[in-house]
Structures are given as C-alpha cells and as structure tokens.
Amino acid sequence: MGKQLVITEKPSVARDIVASLGGFAEHEGFWERDDLVVTFAVGHLFEIKKPEDIDEKWSAWTLDALPMLPRSFPLQPKQGTRDRLRTIKSLLNREDVEGVVNACDAGREGELIFREITEYFENDKPMKRLWLQSMTKDAIKRGFDGLQPGKRYDGLSAAAHCRTYSDWLIGMNASRALTKRLKTRSESGSWSAGRVQTPTLAILVDRELDILAHVPRTFWRIKGSFSHGKEGYEGTWFDPSFRAADHPEYARDDRIFDEARARDILAKIQGRAGVASETLKPSIEQPPVLFDLTSLQRAANSRFGWSARRTLNAAQRCYEAHKVLTYPRTDSKALPNDYRPVVDELLDQLQQVKALAPFCQRLQEHGLLNEKKVFDDSKVSDHFAIIPTGTVASLSGDDARLFDLVSRRFLAVFHGPATWVRINRTTVVEGQRFRSTARSLQNAGWREVMGETEGEGKLTPLRPTALVEGDTAVDDEPVGAEGAELEEDQTKAPNRYSEARMLSLMETAGRYVEDEDAAEAMKDSGIGTPATRADIIENLIVKGYALRAGRALKASVKGIRLIDILRRMRADRLASPALTGELEHNLAEVEKGRLGGEAFMAEVYDYAEEIVDKTKNFEFEHLFPNTEPLGTCPSCDKQVYERSWFYRCEEPEGLETNQRKRKKMAEQGIPLIEDCAFRVWKDKSGRYVDERTVRELLVDGKSRPLDGFMTRQGRTFRGQLVLEDAEIELRRMEGGEEEDAVEVPEYEVDATPLGSCPQCEDGEVVETRQTFVCDRGLKVIRALEKDDAYALPIRPKQVPEGMEHCAFLLPRTVCKREITRPEALTYMKDGRTPLLEEFTSRKGRPFSAILFRKEDSGRHGFEFPPREGAGKKATKKKATKKKKTSAKKKTSAKTKTSTKKKTSAKTKTSTKKKIATKKKIATKKAASKTKAEAAKKTAVKKNASSDGYRQSD
C-alpha cells in the first residue's frame, strides 16, 4: 500500500496533525507512519523572479524598457528555503509516495503555497485537499476522514495565481514608471504603487485633503438650565425650522453664526420660566452577528485601540498555539447548518470559564435564539465565522482579551435584543426651544453578555409611567428656569479615520455603509481580503505614504503627492477604490469558476499597459498649468502658481531648469536667463502645505495656526508659517500635539521560570507580557518604573542601593516577529537561536536571521545568512585581479627591458634604489593590513558561528 505525502503551511500545523492522528516516527524534517508522511513548508517557499531574471532587457530601470508584460511568471526559491525544498522534493520523488495532500491553510494563500510547490517540482501524482476550520484533535481527524479531491479547488488556485500575477504586473510596472518620473536626487527609496495599496492610500488622502481644506468658522451655542420638581437638567437651544439641505455642511440646528442674534436670544430668555414636552420612545436593538476577521479587527480597535495587525497576530496565536479559536482569516459571519449540535458541546465546555458560565447556563435553560440568522450555509464561504473551539486554556495579555471578546460575541448572538427607552424633551421659553435627550437600558438582553449596559445622559421622566408600550407623550409641563449661558466654539475639520473605520471602508471599496446587510453584499467588491487588509495598512506606513497619528491614520506628504499626480495624469483606476474593487470582485468570480483566469489576466495586461503609457507620456507643465494664481511673489512681483513639488512664480520665457544643461551653457559662454529663487515647498517639516495656506502667506504674511508638523523623532506639533524677506519660517506654537501610537503586544505569561540566567547564573529567566528577562534585572526595571519591553540598558549608577542587577533581556517581539518560548530556551542554552524567518525590517522588508546573545550587554544581536552568489562574486573578483596583476607584470617587464637598453649605468642604479624603496613601503603596508584583518577575523570568530553568518546589532 502506497503512502500519502501531507504538506502543511507551517511546522506547528504539521506537529498538531502528527499529535492528533498518532503513530508517527520523527525523522529529520518530516514524520512518517504506515500510510502517511507529514512535512511542512514555512509560508511561501517561492517568489516570482525579478524582472531582470525573466528578461535581461528589464535589468535597467528605464522608461524605454516598459511595460514589462511577461506571458509566464517563473518562480525561484526564496532565500533560506533550499534545505526545506530539498526535503520536500526528496519525499515527493519517493516511489512509495502515491499521492499528495494539501494541508496548507484553508484559503487562497494556503492553496497558492501548495500549488507553487507541486508546480515547481512538476508533480503528477494525485492531489487531495484537507480543509480545516479548526485545529482541535477532533476537527483534524474529521478533516482526514473527509479529504476532498484537489481538482475541486482549481478555481481557488486560479484566483490565487491571478492575484499574484496581477499584483506583479501592476506593481512592477507602476512602481518603475512612477519612480523614473517622480524620484528626486535626494530620495533613496522608490515610488511604489500597487493594485490594492494605492486605492487604499487614496481613501486616506481624500480625508486629509478634506481636513486641510476646512476653514474654521466661529459659532455660538446657548445652554439653558432648567428644573422640574427636585431634578435639574440642561437643554441646548435649536432652530426647529433648520433644514440641512439649505445650509453648508458645517451648519447644525443648534449653531448660531451671528453673535448679535445669539445675544438677543439669551437676553430674551434669561430668568423666564417655560413649559416642557417629552416623548418616551422604546427602541429595540437586535443582537449582532458573529465575527469575521474584519469586524473583529474593528471591534478590537474600538475597544482596545489595537491595530489590525495586532488583532490578527493575537487571533492567529489563539488559533494555532492555544487552539481556543477557529480559523481567523475568514470573511464569513455565520455558521454552517450542521454546526448546531457542536454549539451545544461548546456551551458545556465554556462553562469552565467563570466569567462566561452564567450566560452558558442561561442559554442551556432557555434555548438558543436567532438560529436562522446564525446557521446559514449560504453565508459561509471558505471558512465559517470566528468562534471558540471549546478548548479551555490559561491565557493572559492580548490573547486573553481577544478570546474573551470573541467568546462573549459568540454567546451574545444567541440572546434576545436589548430594549432601550429614549427620552426626547423639548423645553420652550419665550418661543425659544431647547433640546434634552437621554437613553436608558430597560432590558439588557445581549448587551449584558458584552458588558455594555451604560445608558446616555440622565433624565427622569416628567411624569412617572408604567412600562412603556409604544410612544408615550407628555405636553406642556411647567418647568423652572435656572439660567442660560452663551458658549463660543469653532467648526472643526472632519476626524481622521481610525483603523476600525478604515477597515470598513476597505471592505466596501471606499463607500461608508452603516447597514451591515448592505456592507455584506458589497464585500466581494472590497479592497483586499480580510487576511491582507492589516498588511496593506502596515505597508503604507512602512513605505512612508501614511503614518499613525494617535489611534488614527494620516496620509503623509509623499502619499498626497502620489495620489495627486496619478489623478492629474488621469490614471484614475490605480487611485480609485471603486474601480479596484471591481478587480477584487472579478477575482472572486474566478475563484467560483464564473470567470476564466485568462479573461481576468487579459484585463490586467491592458491595465498595466495603460498605467505605463500614461506615466511615460505626461508633461509636468500640463499637469500644473498657470490657471489659478495664488498671490504675488514677494521677490519679483509675478503671480505665484502651483507646481509638482512646490509653489513658485511664473518661470521666465526660455528658462533652462536642467542644472547640467545650465552648467554646460555657462562653460560655452551662452547667456543664462536668471530665475527667481522664491519657493514654498509642499513638504514643510512633514506637513503638506496646501493652496489655501500659500494664499494666506502671500496675502497676510503668515498662515493660520496649523497642526501636524513633525519632529525628527516623530512627534507632531502645532506651528505657524511666517513670510519674512521672501523666506518661509516655521514658528512652533503650544498645543496640538498628537498621541504617539506604540504597538506593544501583550502575550500570555507562563509563570514557570525558563531556567537559570545564562548571563549572571544566579537569577532565573522569567516571562513578562513583553519580555524574557532575568528576575534580578526585572526587579530593577520595575523599581525604576520602566516599561520592560523598551527598558534601556540599566547603568550601574541607576541601580538602587542594595539591589542586585542582571542585564539579560530578550524581547518577545523582535522586528514584528514573536519569539516563542521554545526559541527563547534554545537561545538561553546555546547562546543563539536556529535560523528564524518572518522578521520585518524598518523599511518593511522580510528577512531571516539568527539571534545571538551579546555577552557584554546581555541583549541580542543578529547574524544574517550569507547572500547567495556572494562566493561566486568573490571568485570572479579574484580572477579579474589575477588577470590585471599578470598584465601589469608583463607591461612592467617590457618597460624594464626598454629602460635598460636606453639608460646609462647611473640611471640603472638609481632606478634599482627607487624600486627597492617602493618594495619596502609596500611590504610594510601589506604587513599592517594583514595584522588588521587578522584582528578583525579574531573578533568576529569570538561570537560568530562556524557557518560564516554575517553579524549585526
């Protein structure tokens, strides 16, 4: 009987399968029993070759070489994967292996990881698919009992390939074309653009432009104080005749923009009694639906202030490591119809969690509500909603908070609605109306499970009523007037988008939709997928197109420039969330088999060609014509206009702006036309300078107070731009600082010490929510009130008297990668880890490295694997050097022979002396250089491994 080769996406999943099925013997890089061989990938093992490796003509970044439209996309192994690939290949080629099982994650990316392996090794053996919704033992056994034919997922595979190829075509072509047209000499990075990245940025840019365009207007509100019986209450004046459609966007029915009118109303009502009327209106709030990944990320952002990536990381740990949640990368908010019996089992198991037990018991006693809404096969895609698995584990930190949030939502959906009573009260004094509102919870229903039972405002009904049945009205109840006051305020710019709001907008391709059913219908046309949206946001930040301003997201100057240029050159599709949403919808159609992959790719090829054509052929003067003068230049009195990077006065006719050409003209004595030096750059200390600000500078000599300037350390501040002697000066002002958003995941804590400290040998290494640290050092860190995740090396003079200190500390998050407990134990024992993957650099690039312990500081450093091909390059250099030396010797010999024939005996002697002197100097230099190199090698060997890895701090 032949065997099936099972390939998982990660080593941890392979271990779970082996443990669940049992009977396996462990070998190097795989496990085996009579019928199965289990091995693993480590995420994506391949990548599409670089353009220059596909076609040599694409090696140069030139506009002439664009567009790049390969008809096939050859793969190459990713760095550091050759050993893993060697193992997989040898297992695939075994004669006793008759078929292959795809056990990678259930979804588009998991399918792609597996198919890339089988395609690269040209596998022709039958393929089956393991589709796991949960990582529990029972779920794994059920999955292997119901293996599906691999062909059933060909549509998913086609969509995955199309997504990868389209991202390559659009990203590579757009990025190269834009970089050639937009990059300045002072920039080191490229101008990247992409199918999903750029339209996401466009949403942020549009919001930022709305904020910059806002003109504050002063308005007044009137607040009245009233009394009824023993209760006092407040009301806000409003205009009952106000109609939103007849007024500007910033107008509201409680705002008065005429101060004289506001004071007249105030004088009219002071000290006068009034009458009040109110309605008590019940409202029913239905339970929410279950979480998919996007709605979970939104909820965690609103409740905890977490970024989308932080939520995803915690959910992934709860799924993989703790097995307490089902697969998190899902876009479904329902459960399959046959899952009803499983819910009964979950209620039994969740009762072990003390905080959840009362709600589980209630559901068991009174039954489940809303079953038709929760169990619905038509609303389940590749995966069902995120729910608990029934496994109960000891959790802490982020994992505990996330598990609690998901579990409460799971229980809440089976509870009844929450019933509110809203009090709307209108108080009339001398014909002027004042509004007071409050909302109280009459029946908590599902909100009790979520711990959300607070009302809004406090009002006691004017007349005591029984339980409200429909609207209850009270008219003309006399009330006393305690006084009134005028409040001055200014209209404010719209708020920047929080990450929760941004995820909603990405889900609906930039259109804000409050109704969940409507949003559900649009999700196939959203930007990205639930699994990728967090990375899209992080990628924008890493590439300098966006940044975090407290809990909100903000488009940077570079981001605003990119979208502005794209729209001016009419590359609308690349910057349009709606049009990009169409592509995402078409990918979903490919996945379902309703659209062929070739038809989808034909559109993408046309799309990529169109972007390149528009980028190559635009002229900056056409993008920024002299249509709207912003004011008069303070240097030359000409009109100032907008240009691509700055605002300046109109250029003199015949002006040559190219510096190289100007230099050549000067050398040739050609007269040069002098240019005015006045510029207002669009980027001023990290803040975008818009047209309105330039107008203020040119007319008033200064701008209004502006928020959003940034220090080199990343702190934002308020400032004012001042124009003096044709120079722009930034003056810092008080206020306006924004909260910095620092992402520090809080992991669960295992109280068991990891072992003796390798640094001091006296203390023990323990876990905190953010570090592995020596307990002797932890006492000092806490005594100094430092955050242990970011504690700087403690200097001896900082250590409190009588307290022992050790410097050993290993963060649990290094370069956005979690360091697991087993990896920390290896680090302590051997002074180094194995080669670890999935680190992320400051520039957002993934890399692999070994962590090693630095004996002097107790902290970690990096060792990097040697770059592939480095040895070949070195060999080539040596060969070239030998050729050059040989050529020099031949030339030298010829010269010497010629010299000997032509020179006298005296000249010969003199030449010999000079040569001898030069040889001595060269010998000394060589000896000195050899010593230095030997010392350097010795220093490296002390901490380096024997495999030649490069080291860095």
Side-chain angles (χ1 to χ4, degrees):
M1 179 182 171
K3 300 185 178 186
Q4 297 290 314
L5 173 63
V6 180
I7 302 176
T8 69
E9 188 169 323
K10 306 177 191 73
S12 60
V13 178
R15 283 191 286 269
D16 289 340
I17 288 173
V18 166
S20 298
L21 301 181
F24 286 87
E26 185 173 358
H27 301 275
E28 189 174 348
F30 66 96
W31 294 263
E32 187 169 4
R33 72 177 194 186
D34 293 342
D35 58 336
L36 295 175
V37 180
V38 179
T39 191
F40 52 89
V42 190
H44 283 279
L45 298 177
F46 299 96
E47 60 190 1
I48 297 174
K49 286 185 176 181
K50 293 175 182 175
E52 54 269 29
D53 295 330
I54 297 175
D55 193 322
E56 193 177 338
K57 69 182 178 185
W58 296 331
S59 58
W61 280 49
T62 62
L63 291 172
D64 292 339
L66 300 178
M68 300 179 291
L69 303 172
R71 292 296 153 177
S72 64
F73 297 85
L75 298 174
Q76 63 184 17
K78 292 179 77 173
Q79 185 179 336
T81 63
R82 293 197 180 276
D83 289 344
R84 186 92 299 270
L85 289 171
R86 197 178 296 117
T87 299
I88 293 172
K89 183 181 180 181
S90 65
L91 295 174
L92 261 177
N93 291 339
R94 274 174 43 169
E95 291 185 5
D96 60 339
V97 170
E98 294 182 347
V100 195
V101 176
N102 177 3
C104 294
D105 285 356
R108 198 185 282 172
E109 285 307 299
E111 193 68 26
L112 182 63
I113 287 167
F114 175 80
R115 298 284 182 135
E116 285 177 341
I117 293 169
T118 56
E119 288 164 10
Y120 188 82
F121 292 129
E122 299 178 345
N123 170 67
D124 57 0
K125 295 177 180 179
M127 295 185 293
K128 292 183 179 179
R129 187 47 154 120
L130 174 69
W131 197 262
L132 293 179
Q133 303 281 15
S134 171
M135 287 302 296
T136 61
K137 242 180 206 185
D138 289 342
I140 291 171
K141 287 178 179 177
R142 283 197 302 268
F144 272 93
D145 289 340
L147 291 174
Q148 301 292 318
K151 274 195 162 296
R152 180 177 172 182
Y153 297 91
D154 283 352
L156 185 65
S157 170
H161 283 85
C162 285
R163 197 272 304 158
T164 302
Y165 300 158
S166 64
D167 285 352
W168 191 97
L169 281 167
I170 296 167
M172 285 290 183
N173 281 290
S175 297
R176 286 200 174 193
L178 288 166
T179 297
K180 290 305 295 179
R181 296 305 311 273
L182 302 182
K183 187 177 177 182
T184 61
R185 291 181 184 177
S186 60
E187 286 183 287
S188 56
S190 62
W191 283 70
S192 67
R195 182 181 63 87
V196 292
Q197 166 192 304
T198 310
T200 304
L201 173 62
I203 297 172
L204 287 174
V205 167
D206 286 339
R207 192 60 160 189
E208 196 64 26
L209 293 176
D210 286 343
I211 292 169
L212 292 171
H214 176 72
V215 180
R217 279 202 62 188
T218 303
F219 66 88
W220 289 263
R221 280 195 185 97
I222 301 173
K223 291 286 181 73
S225 298
F226 308 100
S227 61
H228 179 260
K230 294 182 179 180
E231 184 195 37
Y233 68 94
E234 288 190 345
T236 303
W237 177 92
F238 72 99
D239 180 0
S241 64
F242 179 88
R243 297 288 179 272
D246 302 332
H247 293 82
E249 186 182 348
Y250 52 74
R252 305 282 186 275
D253 66 353
D254 61 348
R255 294 178 177 180
I256 305 171
F257 290 91
D258 183 347
E259 184 178 6
R261 183 191 173 204
R263 293 198 178 279
D264 284 346
I265 295 171
L266 185 66
K268 190 176 180 180
I269 64 170
Q270 282 289 12
R272 303 294 178 92
V275 293
S277 303
E278 73 178 20
T279 59
L280 275 69
K281 186 176 182 180
S283 63
I284 293 174
E285 188 181 16
Q286 296 295 338
V289 293
L290 293 168
F291 283 131
D292 67 352
L293 178 57
T294 302
S295 58
L296 175 61
Q297 288 169 320
R298 289 202 307 263
N301 180 257
S302 300
R303 185 174 283 213
F304 309 134
W306 292 358
S307 69
R309 174 177 277 184
R310 182 172 176 178
T311 303
L312 176 57
N313 288 346
Q316 201 70 27
R317 288 193 300 272
C318 286
Y319 165 68
E320 284 183 11
H322 311 308
K323 300 174 182 55
V324 295
L325 295 183
T326 55
Y327 186 75
R329 295 170 184 260
T330 176
D331 62 353
S332 299
K333 298 176 182 177
L335 299 175
N337 292 332
D338 61 2
Y339 218 73
R340 175 64 182 79
V342 178
V343 172
D344 289 332
E345 295 173 19
L346 294 179
L347 294 176
D348 284 334
Q349 292 158 332
L350 288 176
Q351 284 194 64
Q352 299 174 54
V353 181
K354 188 177 178 181
L356 304 177
F359 309 117
C360 295
Q361 291 165 9
R362 184 185 298 165
L363 292 176
Q364 288 174 324
E365 290 171 10
H366 301 289
L368 307 183
L369 301 177
N370 315 309
E371 290 191 38
K372 286 185 179 179
K373 188 177 178 181
V374 177
F375 301 102
D376 187 345
D377 285 342
S378 68
K379 293 183 178 177
V380 176
S381 57
D382 300 338
H383 314 276
F384 53 70
I386 305 171
I387 62 171
T389 61
T391 300
V392 177
S394 176
L395 304 174
S396 62
D398 284 8
D399 301 356
R401 293 165 83 183
L402 189 88
F403 173 74
D404 181 72
L405 179 61
V406 173
S407 299
R408 287 180 183 274
R409 176 66 79 97
F410 168 69
L411 297 173
V413 300
F414 295 114
H415 279 70
T419 306
W420 299 85
V421 171
R422 186 176 185 86
I423 301 176
N424 293 316
R425 181 178 299 172
T426 301
T427 305
V428 182
V429 182
E430 295 296 315
Q432 302 300 318
R433 296 171 183 267
F434 293 80
R435 179 192 296 124
S436 309
T437 61
R439 193 171 75 140
S440 60
L441 196 60
Q442 299 297 298
N443 181 8
W446 66 270
R447 279 193 170 272
E448 183 186 357
V449 185
M450 299 304 297
E452 301 166 352
T453 56
E454 288 188 11
E456 300 170 5
K458 290 184 179 180
L459 283 177
T460 303
L462 293 172
R463 294 176 192 167
T465 59
L467 185 66
V468 176
E469 297 283 350
D471 288 2
T472 301
V474 175
D475 294 322
D476 299 335
E477 184 78 8
V479 295
E482 302 298 320
E485 59 181 20
L486 208 59
E487 292 182 353
E488 184 179 332
D489 203 348
Q490 282 194 326
T491 58
K492 291 180 174 59
N495 292 325
R496 291 191 177 98
Y497 292 136
S498 66
E499 209 152 330
R501 180 76 179 272
M502 195 65 199
L503 289 166
S504 294
L505 291 169
M506 292 172 74
E507 191 173 39
T508 54
R511 290 160 288 187
Y512 187 63
V513 180
E514 290 190 23
D515 182 75
E516 287 217 21
D517 291 333
E520 186 76 13
M522 296 170 67
K523 71 180 183 184
D524 283 346
S525 299
I527 300 173
T529 65
T532 60
R533 285 175 191 135
D535 288 335
I536 293 166
I537 291 171
E538 293 296 330
N539 198 35
L540 288 175
I541 293 168
V542 163
K543 290 182 176 175
Y545 289 132
L547 50 92
R548 285 196 170 91
R551 289 191 177 188
L553 297 167
K554 172 185 176 182
S556 69
V557 175
K558 184 177 181 180
I560 294 171
R561 279 178 177 166
L562 176 63
I563 300 301
D564 182 39
I565 293 288
L566 287 172
R567 286 174 174 164
R568 287 174 184 268
M569 71 187 209
R570 302 189 186 284
D572 301 290
R573 190 168 195 176
L574 190 58
S576 168
L579 291 173
T580 302
E582 285 180 20
L583 271 182
E584 202 68 52
H585 173 74
N586 290 344
L587 273 177
E589 293 295 287
V590 171
E591 187 172 317
K592 294 167 186 172
R594 298 173 188 162
L595 179 68
E598 289 182 4
F600 176 88
M601 288 306 300
E603 182 185 358
V604 172
Y605 278 109
D606 291 343
Y607 184 11
E609 199 164 5
E610 175 192 331
I611 292 167
V612 170
D613 184 58
K614 288 183 174 179
T615 309
K616 286 167 76 170
N617 296 320
F618 78 77
E619 297 295 337
F620 280 104
E621 55 265 33
H622 296 152
L623 298 188
F624 297 90
N626 295 346
T627 52
E628 289 187 36
L630 303 175
T632 305
C633 175
S635 292
C636 67
D637 292 332
K638 286 184 181 179
Q639 290 298 302
V640 172
Y641 296 96
E642 181 179 7
R643 296 292 181 258
S644 54
W645 310 124
F646 45 73
Y647 304 89
R648 61 153 296 157
C649 53
E650 187 177 357
E651 297 88 341
E653 192 173 340
L655 174 69
E656 177 56 65
T657 57
N658 186 293
Q659 295 303 313
R660 288 181 182 174
K661 288 183 180 178
R662 286 180 67 86
K663 187 177 179 182
K664 193 172 280 187
M665 287 167 67
E667 289 171 353
Q668 294 171 357
I670 300 171
L672 294 172
I673 297 172
E674 291 304 318
D675 189 17
C676 177
F678 178 74
R679 303 284 187 277
V680 181
W681 291 89
K682 290 183 178 179
D683 186 345
K684 190 68 175 176
S685 294
R687 189 194 191 279
Y688 186 78
V689 178
D690 60 334
E691 289 184 7
R692 179 177 156 226
T693 302
V694 177
R695 283 195 181 96
E696 290 173 354
L697 278 168
L698 297 176
V699 175
D700 303 328
K702 62 182 180 181
S703 72
R704 68 199 181 283
L706 303 170
D707 287 322
F709 294 105
M710 188 170 290
T711 66
R712 289 183 180 179
Q713 291 73 36
R715 299 286 298 180
T716 55
F717 64 93
R718 175 174 293 172
Q720 186 176 42
L721 298 178
V722 179
L723 177 60
E724 284 188 359
D725 301 326
E727 295 290 332
I728 308 297
E729 181 185 338
L730 171 58
R731 294 179 183 173
R732 189 162 181 161
M733 304 174 72
E734 289 189 11
E737 288 199 359
E738 295 166 348
E739 170 193 358
D740 284 345
V742 180
E743 278 293 297
V744 187
E746 294 183 354
Y747 301 107
E748 64 163 11
V749 176
D750 184 339
T752 310
L754 281 78
S756 297
C757 174
Q759 187 78 8
C760 67
E761 299 182 355
D762 293 327
E764 286 190 315
V765 176
V766 296
E767 284 185 17
T768 71
R769 288 185 175 182
Q770 292 137 12
T771 56
F772 301 102
V773 60
C774 178
D775 57 5
R776 296 172 73 201
L778 183 60
K779 289 174 185 174
V780 177
I781 289 168
R782 288 179 174 167
L784 297 174
E785 298 183 350
K786 287 182 176 287
D787 180 345
D788 62 303
Y790 295 101
L792 298 171
I794 306 299
R795 297 184 182 88
K797 64 181 181 181
Q798 291 178 286
V799 180
E801 193 174 341
M803 188 177 284
E804 295 179 341
H805 173 245
C806 174
F808 178 86
L809 185 148
L810 175 65
R812 296 183 70 173
T813 302
V814 176
C815 293
K816 298 185 180 181
R817 183 197 190 277
E818 179 188 358
I819 305 302
T820 64
R821 189 179 175 96
E823 289 165 352
L825 286 166
T826 305
Y827 174 84
M828 289 167 55
K829 179 185 173 185
D830 303 336
R832 57 194 292 106
T833 66
L835 181 67
L836 305 178
E837 298 184 327
E838 297 182 0
F839 291 110
T840 303
S841 72
R842 289 180 184 176
K843 293 185 177 180
R845 294 170 185 152
F847 69 94
S848 303
I850 286 172
L851 299 184
F852 72 92
R853 180 170 61 86
K854 297 187 281 188
E855 293 181 7
D856 56 338
S857 67
R859 302 305 172 101
H860 68 278
F862 292 99
E863 288 181 6
F864 301 102
R867 291 190 182 93
E868 291 177 16
K872 292 178 183 177
K873 286 180 184 177
T875 307
K876 282 182 183 178
K877 283 181 181 177
K878 282 181 182 177
T880 307
K881 199 171 183 181
K882 281 181 181 178
K883 284 180 183 178
K884 284 182 180 178
T885 307
S886 176
K888 279 182 182 178
K889 282 181 178 178
K890 285 178 182 177
T891 306
S892 177
K894 284 181 183 178
T895 307
K896 281 180 183 176
T897 307
S898 175
T899 305
K900 280 178 182 177
K901 287 178 180 178
K902 292 178 182 178
T903 55
S904 61
K906 283 184 180 179
T907 309
K908 284 181 184 178
T909 307
S910 174
T911 304
K912 281 180 181 178
K913 282 182 180 179
K914 283 178 182 177
I915 290 169
T917 306
K918 282 182 181 178
K919 278 185 178 179
K920 280 182 182 178
I921 293 168
T923 305
K924 282 183 180 179
K925 281 185 178 177
S928 176
K929 191 175 180 182
T930 306
K931 274 186 180 181
E933 285 176 354
K936 195 174 181 181
K937 283 180 183 176
T938 307
V940 171
K941 279 181 182 177
K942 283 183 180 179
N943 284 323
S945 61
S946 58
D947 52 15
Y949 278 28
R950 297 174 294 113
Q951 291 194 355
S952 169
D953 290 346

